[in-house]
């Protein structure tokens, strides 16, 4: 248990579906992240929220839409995804303004069919 | 661009032996380095970190060595156990980056032979 909880753990969706991934952290952190992890690739940073403001958006397609309603919760809204978007999506949190480690959730295994 | 890379994608080690996983980085401004372990079906888990003002740091059965001259980082695992089987990632960040974003290596898969 890392203090970062992601739901669902597994998700299968069609290309025309709309779904959302949820992340919740109980560590008192104020920075949250979405990463994409594909096979045999380094972790790809997608979005960063610091103090509930988006501070990084690494050229992620608009079919991925993040939302951070407060410092403990982070969502990733998915719409009209492509099969190549199938991957493990990881949420992480850390303390903003400090050069320290990030804590990860277990991830959501997403399959787009 | 800046990158963090791993020398070996897969490492097989006999149970009980020591393991050494290596990592090279290219950003001279990086001053914080982390090793993560990712087991199958789980998210990355923090193992140990080191800052650039140190050359060596020890944890429980793990040691991280930092050679800033050649921009090299290594993770040593003593008396490897079956539970050490995982993919190991190194990551770096810089205090000069206002967001302290981690730059990740591709990962090394550690296989423990019985």
């Amino acid at each position: 248990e890392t203090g970062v909880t992601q739901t669902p753990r597994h998700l299968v969706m069609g290309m025309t579906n709309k779904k959302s991934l949820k992340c919740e952290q109980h560590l008192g952190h104020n920075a949250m992240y979405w990463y994409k992890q594909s096979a045999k690739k380094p972790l790809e940073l997608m979005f960063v929220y610091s103090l509930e403001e988006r501070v990084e958006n690494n050229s992620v397609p608009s079919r991925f839409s993040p939302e951070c309603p407060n410092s403990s919760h982070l969502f990733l809204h998915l719409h009209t995804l492509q099969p190549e978007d199938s991957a493990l999506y990881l949420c992480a949190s850390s303390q903003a303004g400090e050069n320290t480690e990030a804590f990860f959730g277990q991830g959501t295994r997403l399959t787009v069919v | 661009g800046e990158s963090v890379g791993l020398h070996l994608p897969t490492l097989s080690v006999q149970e009980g032996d020591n393991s050494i996983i290596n990592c090279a980085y290219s950003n001279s401004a990086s001053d914080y380095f982390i090793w993560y372990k990712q087991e199958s079906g789980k998210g990355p888990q923090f193992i140990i970190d080191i800052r650039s003002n140190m050359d060596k740091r020890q944890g429980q059965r793990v040691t991280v060595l930092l050679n800033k001259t050649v921009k090299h980082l290594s993770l040593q695992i003593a008396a490897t156990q079956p539970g050490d089987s995982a993919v190991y990632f190194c990551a770096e960040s810089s205090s000069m980056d206002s967001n302290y974003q981690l730059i990740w290596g591709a990962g090394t898969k550690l296989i423990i032979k019985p």
Side-chain angles (χ1 to χ4, degrees), chain B residues 42-110:
Chain B
K42 297 184 178 181
Q45 180 183 7
F46 171 83
I47 301 174
I48 192 168
D49 59 1
I50 189 168
R51 299 191 185 274
S52 58
N53 60 350
M54 301 176 69
D55 297 323
K56 179 180 179 179
R57 191 160 188 232
Q58 288 184 289
Q60 187 177 14
R61 278 201 310 119
V62 294
T63 301
V64 56
L65 298 176
L66 175 62
N67 186 330
K68 294 179 286 294
T69 302
V70 295
K71 298 189 185 68
H72 185 268
L73 186 72
S74 68
L75 177 69
Q76 300 179 3
I77 305 173
T80 312
Q81 303 169 357
D84 295 329
S85 294
V87 177
Y88 290 80
F89 294 93
C90 63
E92 59 170 318
S93 66
S94 170
S95 298
M96 296 178 66
D97 176 357
S98 58
N99 292 323
Y100 304 119
Q101 286 189 28
L102 290 171
I103 300 172
W104 294 81
T108 292
K109 184 175 183 179
L110 180 63

Side-chain angles (χ1 to χ4, degrees), chain A residues 9 33 35 37 41-43 45 48 55-56 58 88 90 97-107, chain B residues 31-32 34 36 38 41-46 49 51 89 93-95 98-102 104-106:
Chain A
R9 291 294 309 276
Y33 312 79
Y35 282 89
Q37 187 175 36
K41 284 187 178 181
L43 279 164
L45 180 63
V48 179
V55 297
E56 190 75 23
N58 284 348
L88 181 68
L90 290 161
E98 295 182 15
N99 203 3
T100 60
E101 72 271 27
F103 292 81
F104 284 81
Q106 301 281 47
Chain B
D31 54 9
Y32 180 61
I34 312 177
Y36 281 90
Q38 187 174 23
K42 297 184 178 181
Q45 180 183 7
F46 171 83
D49 59 1
R51 299 191 185 274
F89 294 93
S93 66
S94 170
S95 298
S98 58
N99 292 323
Y100 304 119
Q101 286 189 28
L102 290 171
W104 294 81

Side-chain angles (χ1 to χ4, degrees), chain A residues 12-48:
Chain A
V12 179
M13 62 184 288
M15 289 188 284
T16 58
N17 291 160
K18 287 184 181 181
K19 297 286 185 182
S20 295
L21 309 185
K22 179 182 176 182
C23 178
E24 184 174 358
Q25 59 94 4
H26 305 278
L27 301 169
H29 290 158
N30 51 19
M32 297 187 77
Y33 312 79
W34 280 117
Y35 282 89
K36 177 183 179 182
Q37 187 175 36
S38 304
K40 300 182 180 179
K41 284 187 178 181
L43 279 164
E44 300 173 56
L45 180 63
M46 300 175 72
F47 301 104
V48 179

